[in-house]
Amino acid sequence: MPYFVFKISADRKFTLVKACVQYKEAKDLCRELRIAESPDNPNAVRMAFAEDQAKAKRLIADKRPPSSPLEEWEA
């Protein structure tokens, strides 16, 4: 399964940047895009590991419940 890298606009529209086969490639791409285009908003570039592009978008768009009390307190 590939890693999908998306840019997320202010109005929550997802734009696919690239589908990467290796995690390191996707992680490095996310890091470069965050530094170059959105240093103030790290959530403007996201990565998802999924079977296809539609599932990756759904994973990123869905709000997850906190997995621990500490995450709940930080939110």
Side-chain angles (χ1 to χ4, degrees):
M1 287 193 299
Y3 295 89
F4 294 93
V5 177
F6 291 95
K7 283 186 188 178
I8 304 172
S9 65
D11 57 349
R12 303 284 297 159
K13 289 191 179 184
F14 298 94
T15 305
L16 179 66
V17 176
K18 187 176 181 182
C20 303
V21 176
Q22 296 182 341
Y23 172 76
K24 183 173 180 355
E25 179 186 2
K27 181 180 79 166
D28 291 343
L29 177 60
C30 285
R31 185 175 291 141
E32 290 170 10
L33 289 171
R34 286 177 182 141
I35 291 169
E37 299 180 14
S38 62
D40 297 333
N41 183 8
N43 291 327
V45 177
R46 299 284 306 271
M47 171 178 50
F49 180 65
E51 294 175 5
D52 58 28
Q53 185 177 343
K55 288 183 181 178
K57 280 184 184 179
R58 200 171 318 118
L59 284 171
I60 293 173
D62 289 346
K63 181 103 172 124
R64 296 181 303 167
S67 61
S68 73
L70 181 60
E71 283 185 14
E72 187 174 310
W73 178 77
E74 290 176 344

